[in-house]
Amino acid sequence: MAIKKSELYSSLWASCDVLRGGMDASQYKDYVLVLLFIKYISDKYAGEPYAPITIPEGASFADMVALKGKSDIGDQVNKQIIAPLVNANTQLSRTDFPDFNDATKLGTGKDMVDRLTDLVAIFENKALDFSKNLASGDDILGDAYEYLMRHFATESGKSKGQFYTPAGVSRVMAQILGIREAETSANTTVYDPTCGSGSLLLKVGDEAGTAVTLYGQEKDAATSGLARMNMYLHDYPTALITQGNTLTDPKYKEAGTLKIFDYVVANPPFSDKRWSTGLDPLNDPHDRFTSFGIPPAKQGDYAYLLHIVRSLKSTGKGACILPHGVLFRGNAEAEIRRNLVRKGYIKGIIGLPANLFYGTGIPACIIVIDKEDAQARKGIFMIDASRGFMKDGPKNRLRAQDIHKMVDVFMQRQDIEKYARMVSFEEIAGNEFNLNLPRYIDGQEAEDLQDIGGHLQGGIPTVDVDALEMYWERFPSLRSSLFRLLRPGYVGLSVPSSEIKERIYAHPEFCSFMDEMEAHFGLWRDEKSVSLRGLEAGFQPKSLVASLSENLLNHYSGKGLVDAYAIYQHLMDYVDETMQDDLYLIAADGWQAETYRVIEKDKKGKEKDKGWRCDLLPKPFLVKAYFGEDAAAIDDLRAALESASARKGELEEEQGGEEGAFAELEKVNKGNMVKRVKVLRAERVESREQGVESSEELTALEKWLALNNDEAKLKKEIKTAEAELDGKVYAHYPELSDEEIKRLVVEEKWLAALGNALQGETERISQRLTQRVKELTERYESPLPQMNEDVAALEEKVKGHLERMGFSWE
């Protein structure tokens, strides 16, 4: 059975547990990723003639497995595996690999042996067989690498996470370049002068419609090694990654000058204070600053941006992540900014949310450079996307909807209030070429003003009701149903505030809207049900999700009150949580609803059977479809059990006091109850002989025991019924036809879950309206005269109380 993506992720992340303690994430990531690299190239290229990387005999992952448990495993990995790989492949360097015999990181003696042995064992998982892995399009490995890098960056802390550009930001940059729409080929060049581990460079490569040629340079030797490995893991074996300082020693040259590229992207170190070390900017051999100005000695942001400009062809396009300061800082940077704007090179600016990047918490922006037709450019397109994100642990993260909206708005040049607009060069010049986004886009929420007249005389200001025009356009008569005119400029509520929600929900126009939304989803659901049930093994899950999500987004575009991007996000969330694993299972094995035993090991290594599972079609869906009566019977038993337990609890509370029937018991349990009942029954026999009735205590105890017996009996019946149902469901799986599996998975699992999520989205429309109407009602429901009367009445009450107590009010 194919491995689920989520299980692969957790398996690889578990490999990090082996190394934690001896080093931090910025160090142990190198060992984990090198193991992943060696496993991948061994599976894919070992024994293959003319492979892009040579695996010498005796230097494969299988040979590494043979070293497990040996006392010199670390030294042998260095000598037997890594050294031959480096010697056989000129594109690899010894500095690309960590030292597997480093006692300061891996421990000494048995500690090192156990640690490395356990690490290698994790990668022996049969599911990690990359021999048939194509590493492109739908490559699970590429996603797993992305997952690992994100977690490494999170754990590495503020000062050591710069090797990774968040995937969401990389996707935005890759898409706004327009490379997918362009005519590309192997001759199309993409360059990242500060490539880190290569994630940003790869996103641009993946966005292209055809294979393109990737170039990268990275200052840190270990990180450049990760980037080279990353290229192989993503099936870009011909990508060129060099090590060195891009500003002082750029490696890519042609005829003595800087090589120029079709596309350039970068996420350089923010405000690099040592950018000019080893470089004389006044005599730059690559002529990067002459036409624009020299960046400040302690502020290297524009040095990297000007390197990008110089590295682009005359029709080239680039994107660079920089701190917001580049948009407004003065002096030398102001002069550079002015010259860039005047040349028309800056096509757009996108302001990003704060706290996205692992090396810093400050907000950043994307500067989009386009040399093509730069002289004809009339302005700069600006987006303030600073409010579109979600919290993700200590950092913020772009959601799928944030990415999609940014790209759509930028590519279509949409003018959206408080979000995006085209700003003319004349307006920019009028602001002395200050490009700070708040000067051009007021992204702040409008202040909710208090109305003095409303507070003095009561009534909701009509202007506040008018502000809800988006609702009144869709529900024109709902406004008059909710409000009545009090006086010019002010309205009152036509219904009690407690009934606002019911009035909105019951209004014919809102009911019609909900029906329309349900029917609208039904059209999409019915269409997609047919295509999804037609999936066959071998399809590409990523392509399917992209097509499905785009179709859903387009289906809801222009639907008024409904945010199409929010609808899109619901699908993407469900894909991440559940659907992507299902799709990979179907792509690998077809519509196979296979069951398997779940075996877990405790801390001592002892195995425990935790029952069975079916990932594609979990048990509840079969129960609902075929065993409803059995499930209903169990629900009835559970309800009876809950009732018995509740009555027993009430009795314990009633008789648990000092004078209650259970006061004599040390603890309320069956054993103590039985003992006490025996004593009381013996006393009862003796009392009856004397003509005395049975005690209330005995009656209460016997009632508790009866309820306890009912509880135990019901628990046993439930356990038996559940076991019988479990057996029936398990036996039914092999009887399922392909069509039954398809119907249950597509309609009852996928589309039903999505339908519930979308219904919640439409219901939130009424919730937002209800909340605002209640807020306005409560704000103005007690005008000042009424408040004065209330205060006076309270004063009179207090005065009366004081006088009755013998105190004077005066």
Side-chain angles (χ1 to χ4, degrees):
M1 187 175 71
I3 190 171
K4 297 194 297 182
K5 290 183 75 172
S6 56
E7 289 180 357
L8 173 62
Y9 293 171
S10 59
S11 175
L12 291 175
W13 192 237
S15 66
C16 304
D17 292 333
V18 176
L19 298 173
R20 285 189 181 93
M23 62 195 102
D24 65 29
S26 65
Q27 296 172 316
Y28 68 65
K29 76 176 190 305
D30 299 338
Y31 291 93
V32 173
L33 294 175
V34 163
L35 258 294
L36 185 62
F37 171 70
I38 292 175
K39 178 69 169 71
Y40 172 73
I41 61 173
S42 297
D43 287 349
K44 187 166 184 182
Y45 299 125
E48 289 289 325
Y50 310 111
I53 190 166
T54 301
I55 314 297
E57 189 170 344
S60 70
F61 179 76
D63 299 298
M64 186 180 287
V65 171
L67 297 174
K68 287 195 310 178
K70 293 191 175 182
S71 60
D72 59 348
I73 180 175
D75 186 48
Q76 288 303 312
V77 168
N78 286 341
K79 293 177 179 177
Q80 183 180 322
I81 309 296
I82 294 176
L85 274 175
V86 172
N87 293 335
N89 298 278
T90 57
Q91 68 270 44
L92 297 178
S93 166
R94 182 61 186 87
T95 57
D96 295 345
F97 299 86
D99 181 1
F100 278 79
N101 201 37
D102 188 337
T104 60
K105 295 178 180 177
L106 298 169
T108 59
K110 188 176 184 299
D111 286 342
M112 177 186 287
V113 173
D114 290 346
R115 189 166 280 169
L116 290 178
T117 296
D118 292 344
L119 184 61
V120 172
I122 288 174
F123 287 87
E124 284 186 275
N125 186 336
K126 290 181 180 179
L128 297 178
D129 180 5
F130 304 122
S131 58
K132 298 178 181 179
N133 191 293
L134 298 179
S136 62
D138 280 306
D139 176 41
I140 291 182
L141 181 61
D143 291 342
Y145 185 90
E146 188 75 47
Y147 169 89
L148 286 172
M149 293 303 286
R150 177 161 61 90
H151 282 75
F152 287 142
T154 300
E155 285 204 356
S156 293
K158 187 173 181 179
S159 63
K160 299 176 182 178
Q162 299 95 326
F163 55 80
Y164 174 69
T165 301
V169 180
S170 297
R171 291 189 182 99
V172 171
M173 295 176 72
Q175 293 178 44
I176 61 177
L177 290 176
I179 192 171
R180 180 171 289 276
E181 293 76 24
E183 293 185 9
T184 58
S185 68
N187 294 324
T188 303
T189 55
V190 183
Y191 169 53
D192 185 341
T194 58
C195 70
S197 58
S199 57
L200 174 55
L201 189 57
L202 284 165
K203 286 293 186 298
V204 181
D206 289 342
E207 187 64 25
T210 61
V212 295
T213 302
L214 305 183
Y215 297 81
Q217 183 167 339
E218 168 55 35
K219 183 177 181 180
D220 183 77
T223 305
S224 68
L226 289 181
R228 271 187 286 276
M229 296 178 200
N230 201 1
M231 296 301 128
Y232 283 100
L233 294 174
H234 285 80
D235 204 33
Y236 280 93
T238 60
L240 298 174
I241 305 294
T242 58
Q243 190 267 319
N245 187 318
T246 291
L247 295 181
T248 60
D249 184 23
K251 299 296 185 181
Y252 299 110
K253 303 174 188 175
E254 288 180 342
T257 63
L258 284 182
K259 178 178 174 61
I260 54 178
F261 303 87
D262 296 297
Y263 299 92
V264 180
V265 290
N267 178 16
F270 287 180
S271 304
D272 186 355
K273 300 184 185 304
R274 303 180 61 187
W275 72 270
S276 60
T277 302
L279 174 69
D280 180 4
L282 290 172
N283 298 293
D284 177 33
H286 307 295
D287 196 29
R288 290 169 287 191
F289 314 120
T290 305
S291 303
F292 303 96
I294 298 174
K298 301 295 184 181
Q299 208 82 276
D301 299 312
Y302 273 108
Y304 290 100
L305 186 61
L306 293 177
H307 177 83
I308 290 174
V309 171
R310 179 66 181 81
S311 300
L312 282 169
K313 294 179 180 179
S314 60
T315 58
K317 296 165 176 57
C320 184
I321 301 169
L322 292 172
H324 265 288
V326 301
L327 302 177
F328 55 80
R329 290 194 297 245
N331 301 320
E333 291 186 310
E335 180 64 22
I336 296 171
R337 189 167 56 245
R338 182 182 296 109
N339 290 326
L340 283 169
V341 172
R342 283 175 171 167
K343 281 187 174 289
Y345 284 166
I346 301 179
K347 182 179 184 178
I349 300 170
I350 301 176
L352 298 170
N355 202 29
L356 284 181
F357 299 92
Y358 294 96
T360 178
I362 66 173
C365 61
I366 300 173
I367 306 292
V368 185
I369 302 293
D370 190 350
K371 283 190 174 181
E372 187 172 15
D373 298 325
Q375 295 304 318
R377 195 159 284 127
K378 302 297 183 183
I380 297 174
F381 191 75
M382 299 185 182
I383 295 178
D384 179 4
S386 59
R387 289 170 294 162
F389 63 90
M390 64 173 288
K391 294 295 295 180
D392 185 16
K395 308 301 292 184
N396 294 331
R397 178 160 60 90
L398 296 178
R399 298 165 296 181
Q401 71 180 82
D402 304 319
I403 297 167
H404 209 304
K405 183 177 180 180
M406 262 187 270
V407 174
D408 285 349
V409 171
F410 186 87
M411 300 303 286
Q412 299 167 21
R413 303 293 186 273
Q414 298 176 26
D415 192 328
I416 300 177
E417 187 179 2
K418 296 184 177 296
Y419 187 78
R421 60 181 287 245
M422 176 63 76
V423 181
S424 69
F425 287 149
E426 289 78 8
E427 185 176 353
I428 292 171
N431 279 296
E432 298 181 338
F433 295 90
N434 185 315
L435 299 178
N436 199 20
L437 292 174
R439 283 181 177 252
Y440 306 99
I441 300 173
D442 180 11
Q444 298 299 313
E445 293 290 339
E447 187 177 356
D448 197 4
L449 300 176
Q450 302 283 336
D451 186 274
I452 301 299
H455 283 301
L456 289 175
Q457 297 177 271
I460 301 170
T462 305
V463 66
D464 285 329
V465 179
D466 291 342
L468 301 171
E469 183 61 27
M470 60 183 294
Y471 296 101
W472 313 138
E473 286 181 358
R474 186 62 183 79
F475 316 125
S477 66
L478 177 59
R479 176 172 181 164
S480 60
S481 176
L482 287 172
F483 302 103
R484 56 187 172 81
L485 184 66
L486 293 180
R487 62 183 185 281
Y490 296 89
V491 297
L493 205 60
S494 297
V495 296
S497 59
S498 61
E499 297 178 14
I500 293 174
K501 181 177 179 180
E502 288 74 12
R503 175 63 62 92
I504 293 173
Y505 265 86
H507 194 275
E509 289 171 350
F510 184 78
C511 292
S512 175
F513 170 75
M514 294 297 287
D515 290 342
E516 180 186 325
M517 287 297 101
E518 185 176 350
H520 192 67
F521 174 70
L523 289 173
W524 185 85
R525 178 194 61 216
D526 293 345
E527 177 188 334
K528 294 308 164 189
S529 175
V530 174
S531 59
L532 289 171
R533 289 165 70 169
L535 293 174
E536 296 181 358
F539 72 92
Q540 290 191 330
K542 280 187 178 179
S543 298
L544 174 69
V545 169
S547 172
L548 198 66
S549 59
E550 285 300 311
N551 187 273
L552 182 65
L553 180 66
N554 293 331
H555 188 68
Y556 277 90
S557 294
K559 291 304 292 182
L561 295 175
V562 179
D563 183 352
Y565 289 102
I567 299 291
Y568 167 84
Q569 185 66 46
H570 281 295
L571 173 57
M572 300 309 291
D573 287 342
Y574 185 65
V575 167
D576 288 342
E577 294 164 6
T578 301
M579 195 172 174
Q580 73 169 353
D581 280 340
D582 292 347
L583 292 174
Y584 275 89
L585 289 173
I586 296 168
D589 304 325
W591 295 90
Q592 301 295 317
E594 296 182 356
T595 57
Y596 63 93
R597 306 303 300 183
V598 179
I599 307 298
E600 292 183 359
K601 290 185 178 180
D602 59 21
K603 293 181 179 180
K604 297 181 179 180
K606 186 177 180 180
E607 293 185 345
K608 187 173 182 180
D609 190 334
K610 303 293 287 186
W612 58 272
R613 285 177 56 183
C614 178
D615 292 324
L616 182 62
L617 188 55
K619 174 183 172 181
F621 294 98
L622 256 69
V623 171
K624 180 180 178 182
Y626 302 107
F627 302 98
E629 291 184 3
D630 299 73
I634 292 175
D635 288 340
D636 291 341
L637 289 173
R638 286 177 180 149
L641 174 61
E642 187 176 336
S643 175
S645 298
R647 283 182 284 142
K648 190 175 82 168
E650 290 170 2
L651 184 62
E652 289 174 357
E653 185 175 352
E654 179 186 331
Q655 301 292 344
E658 291 183 3
E659 297 181 1
F662 302 160
E664 295 292 326
L665 301 176
E666 185 177 331
K667 187 176 182 181
V668 178
N669 58 33
K670 183 178 179 180
N672 288 338
M673 286 281 183
V674 171
K675 290 178 183 178
R676 182 62 180 161
V677 165
K678 286 182 179 179
V679 172
L680 291 174
R681 283 177 177 170
E683 292 177 354
R684 182 177 62 179
V685 172
E686 185 178 336
S687 299
R688 281 179 176 172
E689 292 175 355
Q690 298 175 6
V692 181
E693 291 293 327
S694 176
S695 70
E696 291 184 4
E697 179 185 359
L698 178 58
T699 302
L701 292 173
E702 289 176 333
K703 184 177 180 182
W704 186 94
L705 284 171
L707 288 171
N708 189 67
N709 289 337
D710 289 345
E711 222 180 18
K713 181 182 177 183
L714 286 166
K715 286 179 180 179
K716 185 177 180 180
E717 289 178 3
I718 290 172
K719 186 176 181 180
T720 300
E722 286 179 337
E724 290 177 355
L725 176 58
D726 190 72
K728 288 180 181 180
V729 175
Y730 185 77
H732 195 76
Y733 273 94
E735 299 176 7
L736 291 171
S737 67
D738 285 354
E739 287 306 312
E740 286 179 295
I741 296 171
K742 291 176 182 180
R743 180 183 64 81
L744 290 172
V745 172
V746 173
E747 296 179 9
E748 301 300 324
K749 185 180 182 184
W750 295 346
L751 295 177
L754 187 58
N756 290 335
L758 300 195
Q759 183 179 2
E761 189 64 37
T762 54
E763 288 177 351
R764 270 189 283 277
I765 293 170
S766 73
Q767 292 169 4
R768 288 192 291 267
L769 177 59
T770 300
Q771 182 179 354
R772 181 56 176 166
V773 173
K774 279 188 174 181
E775 183 180 31
L776 293 172
T777 301
E778 292 169 0
R779 178 180 296 173
Y780 298 109
E781 67 181 348
S782 298
L784 186 60
Q786 180 65 49
M787 294 174 65
N788 289 335
E789 289 180 12
D790 292 343
V791 170
L794 289 172
E795 285 182 352
E796 287 299 317
K797 284 186 178 181
V798 172
K799 181 179 179 182
H801 286 308
L802 289 173
E803 288 176 349
R804 283 193 294 274
M805 294 168 64
F807 295 97
S808 173
W809 175 253
E810 300 298 334

